Amino acid sequence: MKLSLATTTLTLLSTSARAFQLSSSHTVLGRPNLTRRYILAGTESASDRVAKVFQGRPEENDAMDELVKKNFPGAISNKELETKVVKILEGKGLNPANTLLCTSLCCDELARNLEDDFNTVYGHNFNLDGVIGKVERSGIALVDSCCGSAIAASNYLKGITDGGAKITTQIQQFSDFQQGAVQELILPFGKRLGDAEDRMKELPYALYDSQDVLVRDIVNTGKGGIKKGLALLSGIQINTAPDTLDYFHPLRFDFYDENGEVVEDLLSQLS
């Protein structure tokens, strides 16, 4: 069985219902107001939506569960993650009718399953734009590489730390600024990855630590727009075979108040 890893961040912003009571003809700077399309109307609870999401999905596989948790202590299935997250947030007053979903995930389609699930619960997301190594894809016999961006960044860093990097005056590529940013963010973790027993296993955690700083900086910069509260969930995605549940290793689950201050660490409630 092959596993794929990727860093993931999900931000859920709760605001007052009045923010979404604009007429359909309302425009902002000459453009139609799009906020309404990101909000799910109706009275169905987030917990009920999650239950529907997993109807027809594979049941938990004991062998896969043991394998994942042996290698990644603290990981839980996506089903357990989503069920617990929405229940906790319901207790904070976040529901599909008053919550905006923002995501920052690997662009690989494997990483989008979790995003699609939360889209079903909370509506369309704003996108902030995993083995790491190998993974089996649905409908494809090939055992493929994933996540390509992370592996490329690791190879770039290895070339520097091992002394084999090609000398070039090209600092950034105009056509791929994001990849250049990933490679720069991972530079401080050269020794950590070089000393790791399993470089590919350690890689997503090193990337997570670098990107966690970036995401929290984004939240801090935009905290003036928080109306009622904000939940920040982040961690490592663990994609498994097509016929088994995917997993997630949560590493941060913070709740911010309307002033943009962290008022509660919710991470322990996911264990």
Side-chain angles (χ1 to χ4, degrees):
M1 293 181 180
K2 306 296 182 181
L3 302 178
S4 164
L5 308 181
T7 59
T8 297
T9 299
L10 298 165
T11 305
L12 298 104
L13 175 66
S14 176
T15 186
S16 64
R18 291 196 304 274
F20 312 114
Q21 293 176 353
L22 301 173
S23 68
S24 59
S25 62
H26 184 82
T27 61
V28 179
L29 297 179
R31 297 183 178 183
N33 173 53
L34 299 179
T35 305
R36 291 164 60 93
R37 69 176 286 225
Y38 293 97
I39 299 297
L40 287 181
T43 59
E44 190 175 30
S45 71
S47 292
D48 289 340
R49 294 178 190 271
V50 168
K52 287 185 177 181
V53 164
F54 283 93
Q55 289 179 356
R57 294 280 182 87
E59 296 294 328
E60 291 198 4
N61 180 294
D62 290 341
M64 178 61 73
D65 191 70
E66 181 179 358
L67 173 66
V68 171
K69 293 179 178 178
K70 177 182 177 181
N71 287 278
F72 306 99
I76 57 178
S77 71
N78 278 9
K79 182 177 182 179
E80 182 179 354
L81 173 78
E82 294 169 35
T83 301
K84 288 183 174 180
V85 165
V86 300
K87 185 175 182 180
I88 292 169
L89 296 184
E90 283 175 335
K92 298 293 183 183
L94 276 70
N95 59 64
N98 71 358
T99 302
L100 292 172
L101 172 67
C102 181
T103 62
S104 177
L105 302 96
C106 172
C107 292
D108 193 290
E109 76 274 8
L110 288 169
R112 298 297 171 173
N113 293 331
L114 183 62
E115 181 181 71
D116 290 344
D117 288 352
F118 277 106
N119 280 341
T120 302
V121 176
Y122 293 109
H124 293 293
N125 61 295
F126 290 97
N127 196 341
L128 288 178
D129 297 1
V131 161
I132 291 294
K134 303 292 182 180
V135 68
E136 299 167 275
R137 298 180 186 272
S138 180
I140 302 177
L142 174 69
V143 177
D144 199 9
S145 296
C146 181
C147 152
S149 174
I151 294 174
S154 175
N155 291 338
Y156 167 78
L157 179 59
K158 195 172 189 296
I160 294 175
T161 56
D162 290 358
K166 181 180 178 181
I167 298 176
T168 176
T169 58
Q170 187 177 31
I171 300 175
Q172 292 279 12
Q173 289 187 346
F174 178 80
S175 61
D176 202 351
F177 281 116
Q178 288 183 325
Q179 182 60 38
V182 173
Q183 293 175 176
E184 295 302 316
L185 285 169
I186 202 176
L187 283 177
F189 299 96
K191 187 176 188 307
R192 172 177 167 181
L193 291 174
D195 292 343
E197 182 178 347
D198 186 336
R199 186 184 183 92
M200 289 296 99
K201 180 178 175 181
E202 187 65 26
L203 177 57
Y205 289 95
L207 284 170
Y208 170 83
D209 286 342
S210 66
Q211 294 175 19
D212 179 57
V213 175
L214 178 61
V215 169
R216 286 188 289 116
D217 183 64
I218 292 172
V219 171
N220 186 60
T221 300
K223 65 183 181 182
I226 300 175
K227 302 300 181 183
K228 293 181 63 178
L230 180 145
L232 177 62
L233 170 67
S234 57
I236 307 297
Q237 286 196 85
I238 304 167
N239 299 112
T240 66
D243 58 348
T244 55
L245 291 174
D246 288 338
Y247 283 73
F248 189 84
H249 186 185
L251 298 173
R252 180 180 296 279
F253 192 20
D254 291 338
F255 189 76
Y256 293 72
D257 63 14
E258 64 277 8
N259 298 314
E261 302 296 331
V262 177
V263 293
E264 189 172 0
D265 181 351
L266 303 171
L267 190 60
S268 63
Q269 297 185 41
L270 296 179
S271 59

